[in-house]
Amino acid sequence: MTVTNNIQAQSPALSASNVQDQAENLFTASSIWIQTHWLQIIIAVAAAAVIVVVLHFLRRLGHKLCNLRPGAAGWGTVFGRAIVKTGNFFIVMVAAKLVAGYANAPHEVASTISFLFTVSAVFQAAIWAREIILGAIEHRTGSETYSGEAIGSAMGIIRLLVTFALFAIALIVVLDNLGVNVTGLVAGLGVGGIAIGLAAQGIFGDLFAALAIIFDRPFRRGDAISYDTSSGTVEAIGLKSTRIRAATGEERIIANRNLLDKEILNTSQREYRRCQFKLGLVQWTPVEKMEKLPGMLEEVIEGCGRKFVRAGFIGFGEASYDFDVEFDSPTSSFEDFFAARHAVGLGIIKRLNTEGIELAYPTQTAFTAAPRGGMIAPYPDGPIHGENAAPIVDDPATTAELKPSGDRSAVDQDSHP
């Protein structure tokens, strides 16, 4: 008895005789079913044919959705492409699954239909998911508001990764439905994925950063951005790096991952540019003129066609009374901002000159204390110097005769032996 059990345990689970027996059982059950339920089978086949025609009609609607908006891929085009990818085998198996119950199919036939339907449904779902994911990426990259970033070089790798991941999951699901132990396969795929990820983590990091730029849209091609101490205009967003043209002409290339780790200022997305001037008035400026200064500045700014924001006293300088004035250039263009700053600055200078208001400049005067108190002027009281000044006559009482020194350490030893 023990020998018999060992022989049965060692015999292969799948052999030619087993396959032949199962095929014969399936054929026999199908023959009996057709002979006993032929009317139900005819009605079921007719219903299945109608279902197939309806599903083919729905697939044709996918072609119409693809042609609604030529050019950039809209969401209608994305779902239309997914519908077009519906396979004929899946359509047939859906129809068979729907009518199998009505025809009272035997267990062997019903289980076969269920298995084939599961296989077709799992792989069809993987195809739909792939088309929708890739279509969503194309939709974001090809958007009219996003200028169609140069991510086309990455689409090949993205398509490969998405296809591999989805069909690997589909294969595991099918094998699990067949009763296969997929634990080892899942573990192997996990270890392989970790190895590939560690080997190419830099590339994948920049690739995912590029996708983050596309979907999150912190900036787009043509935007002027600033990061750290650098600034420039975005020329291209690639698979690994972003190219930025600086105002001084050179092209700066920075990895996408490093760029997203920094604080980015997108100056192109602003609605206006604000300019600020600090005016230092001399400390003998009359208070009446200082009270009128904000109104004067507002008139100058509005006369230049710019938006006045605020102006007023902000503090006491070391040698000035400090005022602040702010105004806006109505566009985000740096050229408009530069022209506005120039026009308003010159306008303020002209108005201050007209009103007799002087701007302070750095000055410093040093005074020396007298021994008995008071201050000594930093300059002597003497005759007037200049063209009309009288000639200075030497006074013998104050003139000292210069005599040679006996110290030979600071003179030329060779000339004075």
Side-chain angles (χ1 to χ4, degrees):
M1 187 68 176
T2 305
V3 176
T4 304
N5 291 336
N6 291 335
I7 294 174
Q8 292 178 354
Q10 295 176 358
S11 61
L14 183 62
S15 61
S17 60
N18 290 336
V19 173
Q20 184 177 0
D21 292 341
Q22 292 181 12
E24 290 178 356
N25 292 334
L26 178 61
F27 179 75
T28 302
S30 300
S31 299
I32 297 174
W33 173 52
I34 293 174
Q35 294 174 4
T36 57
H37 297 82
W38 59 270
L39 181 60
Q40 291 91 334
I41 293 174
I42 293 174
I43 297 174
V45 170
V50 173
I51 294 174
V52 169
V53 171
V54 172
L55 293 178
H56 274 88
F57 175 76
L58 294 177
R59 190 169 65 177
R60 286 181 175 272
L61 293 179
H63 289 282
K64 294 183 178 180
L65 288 176
C66 294
N67 297 327
L68 285 179
R69 287 186 59 187
W75 286 113
T77 304
V78 171
F79 288 105
R81 291 177 182 176
I83 295 173
V84 170
K85 291 294 183 178
T86 304
N88 292 325
F89 180 69
F90 172 72
I91 293 176
V92 172
M93 294 314 303
V94 168
K97 182 66 176 177
L98 292 176
V99 301
Y102 173 79
N104 293 323
H107 174 71
E108 292 82 359
V109 176
S111 60
T112 302
I113 294 175
S114 297
F115 167 71
L116 294 177
F117 171 76
T118 301
V119 172
S120 63
V122 169
F123 283 101
Q124 185 62 58
I127 293 173
W128 285 340
R130 181 187 63 180
E131 294 301 321
I132 291 175
I133 292 173
L134 296 177
I137 295 176
E138 291 180 2
H139 173 72
R140 300 292 284 186
T141 57
S143 173
E144 294 180 357
T145 61
Y146 199 56
S147 304
E149 298 299 339
I151 199 66
S153 58
M155 288 304 298
I157 296 178
I158 295 173
R159 181 180 296 273
L160 177 62
L161 293 177
V162 171
T163 302
F164 175 79
L166 292 176
F167 279 89
I169 295 173
L171 179 60
I172 292 174
V173 172
V174 170
L175 293 177
D176 185 60
N177 279 273
L178 290 175
V180 178
N181 187 3
V182 297
T183 304
L185 178 59
V186 173
L189 291 175
V191 173
I194 292 174
I196 295 174
L198 291 176
Q201 58 181 343
I203 296 176
F204 285 121
D206 291 326
L207 173 61
F208 292 139
L211 294 178
I213 292 174
I214 292 174
F215 285 100
D216 193 44
R217 298 185 179 184
F219 54 84
R220 60 186 179 183
R221 187 175 57 189
D223 283 354
I225 64 173
S226 299
Y227 59 95
D228 285 345
T229 58
S230 303
S231 61
T233 303
V234 179
E235 287 192 341
I237 301 173
L239 172 62
K240 182 174 175 57
S241 61
T242 296
R243 300 176 183 269
I244 301 172
R245 181 70 62 180
T248 50
E250 70 273 11
E251 184 180 56
R252 295 174 179 171
I253 303 172
I254 181 172
N256 293 327
R257 181 174 53 178
N258 294 338
L259 182 60
L260 289 185
D261 288 339
K262 306 178 185 301
E263 181 184 11
I264 301 174
L265 302 179
N266 192 334
T267 56
S268 296
Q269 297 300 320
R270 60 171 60 176
E271 297 179 356
Y272 57 87
R273 285 179 180 261
R274 177 158 297 180
C275 185
Q276 180 179 9
F277 286 149
K278 180 180 178 181
L279 306 177
L281 307 185
V282 294
Q283 293 181 343
W284 55 83
T285 304
V287 177
E288 294 78 9
K289 291 188 176 181
M290 289 192 290
E291 290 177 345
K292 298 178 181 179
L293 183 60
M296 298 179 191
L297 297 175
E298 183 176 1
E299 292 177 3
V300 172
I301 292 171
E302 292 181 350
C304 294
R306 302 306 187 269
K307 181 181 178 181
F308 173 79
V309 178
R310 65 180 64 88
F313 179 81
I314 58 173
F316 297 92
E318 294 182 356
S320 63
Y321 294 144
D322 294 335
F323 281 74
D324 179 78
V325 56
E326 298 179 12
F327 62 93
D328 292 340
S329 176
T331 66
S332 61
S333 171
F334 181 77
E335 288 77 10
D336 294 342
F337 167 76
F338 192 90
R341 183 174 58 185
H342 174 76
V344 172
L346 294 183
I348 291 175
I349 294 174
K350 292 178 182 178
R351 184 63 181 270
L352 294 180
N353 292 338
T354 302
E355 298 292 337
I357 300 176
E358 301 180 32
L359 295 177
Y361 51 88
T363 57
Q364 185 175 4
T365 304
F367 294 90
T368 305
R372 296 183 179 180
M375 305 298 294
I376 299 177
Y379 45 84
D381 295 332
I384 301 175
H385 297 278
E387 296 180 355
N388 300 324
I392 300 177
V393 181
D394 292 338
D395 187 0
T398 59
T399 304
E401 182 181 359
L402 297 178
K403 298 180 179 180
S405 173
D407 184 6
R408 311 291 295 175
S409 62
V411 297
D412 190 353
Q413 300 296 330
D414 294 334
S415 61
H416 296 82

